[in-house]
Each structure stands twice: as C-alpha cells, then as structure tokens.
Amino acid sequence: MSFYKYNKLNYEFFIARNITRKSSDKFSSPIIRVAISSITIGLAVMIISIAIVTGYQKEIRDKVIGFGSHIQISHYDSNLSYESIPIEVNNDIISRILNIKGVKHIQSYAIKAGIIKADQQIQGIVLKGIDKNYDWDFFNKKIIEGSPIYISDTVTTNGIIISKITANSLKLKVGDTVKMYFITEGENIPRGRKFYVSGIYETGLQELDKIYAICDIKHIRKLNLWNSNQISGYEVLINDFKQIENINSQIYNIIGYDLDARTIKQTYPEIFDWIGLFNVNVIIILTLMVLVASINMITALLILILEKTNMIGILKTLGAQNLSIRKIFIYNGLYMIIKGLFWGNILALLLCLIQIKTGIITLNQESYYVPVVPINLNFIHIIAINVGTLIICMAMLIIPSYIVTRITPIKTIRFS
C-alpha cells in the first residue's frame, strides 16, 4: 500500500488525534470533560445497580431454595398441605433423576405441623424431617449457635434445629429441652415428643424462619404411623437455576402419574414475582443513565464542531468530503466514550470490591432480609453494559455530525 493510499484512509484519524491533543486549552475542554465524566458515572451506576439487584435476587433466591430445594417431588394429591400423603422410596426413580444432566443432589424429606411448647409459651411450627443424605451446605452457613444434628440409619436423634425467631419468642437456647405436640388422624389426644435444641439458625426470611424446624425424619414417620420406607417426598438440587424448568420437565416425565414435581418458583410464586419486579428498576436506571450520557456526548460534539468550523471550511476547500469530515468528529466522540467507559469500569469494580470485602454498607435485615448490600459481579453483564453503551452513544453521535454537511467553505472563510 502506498503512502498516499495510507494517508487517504487514515487522515481522518490523524486529524482527530491532533484535535484531541490540542483541545486542553480550548473552550470545548471543560465540556469534553463533563461528557467523559457523565459516561464514567453513568456506566459505574449501571454496573453497580445490576450487581446489587442481581446480588439481592440471588441472595433471596438461595435462601428460599435452602428451605425447599430447586424442585420438590411429592404425592400428586398433597398440594402444599403440611399433612402430606406418603410415598414409597423408589431407588429406580432416584437413580434416573440423578442421571439427568444438571442434577446435583436428591434427598428425602417428611413434614409434620405441630405446636412447640417451652415453659408457658407455645408456637405453631412445621417440623421438617431429614435423613443422613441431607445436604447441609445451606444451613451450615446459617446456624449461628450450636451445630447441625447427626442422623444415622439406626438410632433416632432427638436434636432439633430452630430459628432465632422461634428461640427468642420461646426464650430458648442451645441445649434446652422443648416439647412438641401433634395431632394424628384418627386420634383425639395429641401426641407429644421431647427434643433438645441442637442449633439455632437465622436466614433473614422471617416468613420461613418462624415456621420451620429441622429434625430426624424417623420422628415424622412415627408420628404419622408410616413405615421406614415412606416419606413426604424428594428434594432435588440442581447446578444451574436457569435450567430449572427444563430439568423439572424431565423429572416430571420420569416420576409417573401419581407424583408431582414442582419448582421452587411454583411453590413460592409471591417471592419470585416480588424479586422479579426489581428488573423494572434496573431497566429504568439503565435507560436514564444511557440517555444522560448520550445527551452530554451530543452536546460536547456540537460544541467541538462549532469550535472547529474554520477547520471544516479549510478541509472542504481542499476537497475533503462531508463523510470524511464527519468521521473526524465521530473519532473524537469515540475517544471520549472509550475513556469514559474505562474509568467507569474502574470506579464500579473498585466500589463493588470494597463492598464485597468489607460489607461497609449494611441493611436492616428485618426489612430487607439481608444484613449487608449484596454484590453479584457477573462479567457477562458488565461486557453487555459496556457494549450497549458504546453502540448507543456512537449511534447518537451520527446526529450532531450531520451538521458538518450544512457548513459551506465560503461562510467559514467570511466568519474567520
């Protein structure tokens, strides 16, 4: 490629670079800085907003899943009743579910509603029975006092794990003995059971904390007069929440006509509908930030074009085409956008990392269900925001660059 052709293809970029370097003492300099700052702040706000919203959604979602897993399998007629119809443990079904791609774990459970009593205080509660295969990952992080209960195949464990809300309401602490009473179908006198408090947990979801306590599944079987092979159902944990509907459909095709498979979103639709509303807030924030950044970019480019009217006239006199001159100013705009994006990413990531490491911004857990502002840094989201901002701002620059076509060499020479 000859030197002439090289210059023909790149002189717009050469002139744009020189304009950028020599604009520090011009009238347009503060306007350009404002435009870059608006992109920096706007991008940082967008990244932080999405990180907080998705972090909050994930935190609430994980807590709900911690109580009921991703997918629950129970008798078709049980619905959401705390007095469930028992099903038989079927190892063939368990094996086939575990073979589904994306399934992490499957565990048995049984539930029974009752009344817990300590001294003269009573409270309604749902006792959830678990076996030795229970996945403790969630509750290990939420137990604030005591320890999980140890469960074996032979010996019945009398330990129970209650929530902090229940413990405070009944004035209980780890090691205390409590009595629970249950109504069994066909019996007029409630059945009683003694437990000791093995651990106290706190998730922040008061609606669930005040309901559930965890015990050995063998207690539920005895109270319901079930045999050792009967359970309320299965809980299925999966690796990717996005695949929940697909995996649920596959499970539904395996379990047979007398069983039902429900996702956690179907079990607690009000919670997932509520956290889904946060997406509307994110859309509003993104729209406003991109709009503000675009308006500032248009303003900066208009001022830059007006400041360089003389140069535009000279270039046209020398034979430059409108498209080439427009490219010069679009290159300038691109420089401002990229600089703003760079510092916006630095600012957003720095603030997010500070919050992740220190938890400096706290929340009232009773109102917001989490003790600190949660952050979820997803680099796919960050890349999408950057690319989207770049494309929209660049598209907006086409509008002010059109003014170049309205400038004539004669008028600019007279003006100078």
Side-chain angles (χ1 to χ4, degrees), residues 7-8 10 44 73 108 113 117 122 157 163 183 197-198 200 215 222 237 267 406:
N7 276 316
K8 187 176 179 181
N10 293 275
I73 303 168
S108 303
K117 182 178 183 294
I122 62 171
T157 302
S163 69
I183 300 294
V197 179
S198 174
I200 297 173
C215 73
K222 289 179 182 177
L237 298 171
T267 305
R406 313 300 297 176

Side-chain angles (χ1 to χ4, degrees), residues 292-307:
V292 170
S294 298
I295 291 172
N296 277 289
M297 284 302 305
I298 291 172
T299 304
L301 202 63
L302 281 173
I303 292 174
L304 195 61
I305 289 171
L306 292 175
E307 189 178 70

